[in-house]
Amino acid sequence: MATKRSVGTLGEADLMGKKVFVRADLNVPLDDAQNITDDTRIRASVPTIKFLLEKGAKVVLASHLGRPKGVTPKYSLKPLVPRLSELLGVNVVMANDCIGEEVEKLAAALPEGGVLLLENVRFYKEEEKNDPEFAKKLASVADLYINDAFGTAHRAHASTEGVTKFLKPSVAGFLMQKELDYLVGAVANPKKPFAAIVGGSKVSTKIGVIESLLAKVDILILGGGMIYTFYKAQGYAVGKSLVEEDKLELATSLIEKAKAKGVSLLLPTDIVVADKFAPDAESKIVPATAIPDDWMGLDVGPDATKTFNEALDTTQTIIWNGPMGVFEFEKFAAGTEAIAKKLAELTTSKGVTTIIGGGDSVAAVEKAGLADKMSHISTGGGASLELLEGKPLPGVLALDEA
Ligand SMILES: Nc1ncnc2c1ncn2[C@@H]1O[C@H](COP(=O)(O)OP(=O)(O)O)[C@@H](O)[C@H]1O
Ligand SMILES: O=C(OP(=O)(O)O)[C@H](O)COP(=O)(O)O
């Protein structure tokens, strides 16, 4: 993907008094009382907005929240206003819509250094259809466009892609830039040795990532539910563990590809097995070659963790996507926690570049309280997966080149 122009190239002359349409990913989790349960994505969006406000711009801020079908009060962005205002140090004005007369009036009345938050862009089906008329209406209240919504950059929607046809320049925000620097830059030109750790539930959802990373890494560590398909492909008994019967040949071919490319592929040597899929299941540690019938593997064992740690000790760059086990159950969280701890230690004590590629691995790092110890934690699950598979993201492609 060509390098894109970043917001840092915009100066006071470009921004003073200008209305800037900022697409952020403010898709944060809310509880039943509409309280924000994790404000990471809001905090991650602040540097770009603050930069614009300091340069005297007027910010028209847009996002989606959830996957509403039409106007749905539970998916309103209104609950975000107090936290946004607090983090930005300004009183954020909220519109009841994302297009139309009221939005036009509020945008026209914005002072320099003011922020107008639009209502959920997905309240219109035209957003996800990337309808040009809708994109034109969104664009009509602003002079230029900044896309900082990395988490939504894999969607070709009106506010992430269509709007760039009507606003120039269209540039990447600081968060978008940082995500691309790590997930594209550091992965394409890693400090070597370079290791990837891939886990998660199924091999089918990670094939693209594994294949793409096999071309770049020195070490590939596999964990999570997908490993039982690899074991079965090698003729081991896997009991009641998760297996994708139609991916056995693929698993064998991935093992062969790793060999051919000289990649050290590490599968766990021992497993924590359970008698049922439940937090209170009976559990025991067994060799990977001896999973008993009627038991299922839900975590990697201590020997595997030791081997993984020794391999990781030799590296300079590590990318991690997907938990090592069912980390949501305390009894089966140790393998995932050990990876989180190891990466935190290597980042802080040895300056190793550690990149956490979105999704459940981020949740695991946060659960372990180690989020601030990693080099980069992606704010996009689906988007980071697509990037790591080598797919171009429509929301990035549409931006001006640097
Ligand atoms: N051995 C296992 N058996 C079943 N599920 C597993 C196993 N190990 C991990 N998982 C589950 O995989 C899920 C995450 O998978 P996935 O969505 O592919 O990862 P990510 O969100 O990081 O991309 C978690 O909910 C976790 O409980
Ligand atoms: O939460 C998001 O993606 P993620 O769960 O893959 O990280 C983004 O806001 C994109 O949302 P979408 O998958 O409804 O388009």
Side-chain angles (χ1 to χ4, degrees), residues 291-311:
I291 297 176
D293 293 346
D294 290 333
W295 290 70
M296 62 182 80
L298 294 188
D299 196 10
V300 302
D303 274 345
T305 294
K306 190 164 169 277
T307 310
F308 293 169
N309 283 350
E310 281 163 11

Side-chain angles (χ1 to χ4, degrees), residues 197-221:
I197 307 164
V198 183
S201 53
K202 294 178 180 171
V203 65
S204 52
T205 58
K206 302 285 167 84
I207 300 164
V209 172
I210 294 174
E211 287 199 323
S212 168
L213 288 172
L214 267 180
K216 301 176 181 118
V217 298
D218 305 293
I219 298 167
L220 176 62
I221 290 173

Side-chain angles (χ1 to χ4, degrees), residues 25 27 41 64 66-67 122 128 151-152 154-155 157 359 379-383:
D25 187 331
N27 184 21
R41 281 183 167 159
H64 74 284
R67 293 177 173 172
R122 287 195 188 166
E128 290 177 67
T152 325
H154 56 319
R155 312 285 184 215
H157 292 173
T379 55

Side-chain angles (χ1 to χ4, degrees), residues 309-363:
N309 283 350
E310 281 163 11
L312 294 171
D313 273 333
T314 66
T315 64
Q316 286 297 311
T317 307
I318 304 169
I319 180 140
W320 179 23
N321 182 294
M324 293 290 99
V326 182
F327 74 102
E328 298 92 334
F329 300 163
E330 214 43 66
K331 263 193 163 170
F332 307 102
T336 304
E337 278 168 18
I339 294 281
K341 278 194 192 126
K342 189 71 197 171
L343 266 55
E345 173 204 317
L346 289 172
T347 320
T348 47
S349 70
K350 287 197 181 160
V352 172
T353 302
T354 50
I355 306 163
I356 319 297
D360 275 332
S361 1
V362 175

Side-chain angles (χ1 to χ4, degrees), residues 24-28 38-46 64 151-152 175 379-381:
D25 187 331
L26 305 177
N27 184 21
V28 290
D38 177 2
D39 68 354
T40 306
R41 281 183 167 159
I42 304 181
R43 285 186 286 109
S45 304
V46 163
H64 74 284
T152 325
L175 172 63
T379 55

